[in-house]
Amino acid sequence: MKVNLLCGARNLPENILQNKANESWIGVDRGALILIESGIMPQFAVGDFDSITKEERDYLAEKLAINPYHSEKDDTDLALGIDQAIHSGYSEICVYGATGGRLDHFMGALQILEKPEYTKKKINIKIIDQQNEISYLSAKDHCVERDFNYPYISFIPITYPTVISLANFKYELKQSSLQLGSTLTISNELIKPRGTVSIYSGSVLMIKSKD
């Protein structure tokens, strides 16, 4: 099952809430309030809700059940939201509103994509904003479809060395070893509707982007 998860209003793709109003959503902290105000009832809300006022929290509590976490906790609101989504049966999670703010929170969001218990279960998590779409690719063959909204594709190694091949890309690779500090796989493009990314060892973050 697929669900969208909203953290806030920063860097959202144009008209994303209107275009996906009929899809399932989860609200994280202020994201829950934004969904309600946009006429979208989230499946549930997660967070300590420290980014909204008492009046906004009272308004939100009138609309759906919220059980705020204590602000001093071991996981971020986003991590708690994704974990609860997975335990609710969702295996495809698109995260919106998680970029454009604090860099530590953004780096924490990237860490979630790499979480071993999620990758082993083949949970597909994407972080999406108005300019980028980020996902995790493990060691196997992956089919990648051309997306004119995000035409440029980069691969950021997570472990070293990562050995990768790219087929049907403008710059093809054959079992190239990516070493620490390499920028070889930055800014590529598909030249056909579909391409193949083969990862023989290691793992990468795939970032689809537009200028």
Side-chain angles (χ1 to χ4, degrees):
M1 293 193 300
K2 176 184 175 182
V3 70
N4 303 305
L5 193 153
L6 185 67
C7 302
R10 292 191 184 98
N11 291 341
L12 296 181
E14 187 175 1
N15 298 323
I16 189 66
L17 296 180
Q18 296 93 321
N19 294 340
K20 295 183 177 292
N22 294 324
E23 297 185 10
S24 296
W25 286 85
I26 294 169
V28 172
D29 204 84
R30 188 170 189 82
L33 179 65
I34 295 169
L35 288 172
I36 293 292
E37 291 177 337
S38 300
I40 299 172
M41 179 59 66
Q43 301 297 309
F44 54 84
V46 179
D48 54 25
F49 301 100
D50 61 355
S51 65
I52 61 177
T53 66
K54 181 183 182 303
E55 290 74 18
E56 289 172 331
R57 184 186 295 192
D58 292 342
Y59 169 76
L60 187 60
E62 292 176 359
K63 302 296 182 178
L64 77 165
I66 61 171
N67 297 293
Y69 284 87
H70 195 280
S71 58
E72 296 178 358
K73 54 191 185 301
D74 293 335
D75 287 306
T76 63
D77 290 338
L78 174 57
L80 293 170
I82 288 177
D83 192 63
Q84 189 167 333
I86 292 170
H87 280 90
S88 298
Y90 296 104
S91 58
E92 185 176 351
I93 304 169
C94 295
V95 178
Y96 297 93
T99 68
R102 287 173 50 176
L103 284 177
D104 55 344
H105 283 181
F106 173 62
M107 296 302 292
L110 296 182
Q111 290 285 92
I112 297 171
L113 301 185
E114 305 168 28
K115 198 168 182 177
E117 63 185 88
Y118 296 164
T119 60
K120 289 178 182 177
K121 294 179 181 178
K122 298 181 180 179
I123 304 297
N124 182 14
I125 305 172
K126 296 179 181 178
I127 298 173
I128 304 172
D129 64 23
Q130 61 187 356
Q131 195 162 353
N132 307 282
E133 177 185 293
I134 308 171
S135 56
Y136 171 91
L137 301 185
S138 60
K140 64 178 184 179
D141 290 341
H142 302 268
C143 178
V144 179
E145 295 189 359
R146 184 163 54 192
D147 185 345
F148 292 107
N149 291 319
Y150 302 100
Y152 305 110
I153 307 178
S154 298
F155 302 94
I156 310 300
I158 297 171
T159 56
Y160 299 92
T162 288
V163 180
I164 187 172
S165 291
L166 301 175
N168 293 340
F169 282 78
K170 183 177 181 179
Y171 306 108
E172 295 198 334
L173 295 176
K174 292 185 178 179
Q175 296 193 29
S176 294
S177 180
L178 305 180
Q179 301 295 329
L180 187 65
S182 171
T183 58
L184 177 64
T185 48
I186 299 297
S187 194
N188 209 331
E189 299 175 58
L190 282 166
I191 57 174
K192 293 185 178 180
R194 293 179 179 82
T196 301
V197 180
S198 299
I199 302 175
Y200 303 94
S201 63
S203 55
V204 301
L205 291 177
M206 180 175 69
I207 305 178
K208 296 181 178 181
S209 305
K210 64 180 177 182
D211 285 332

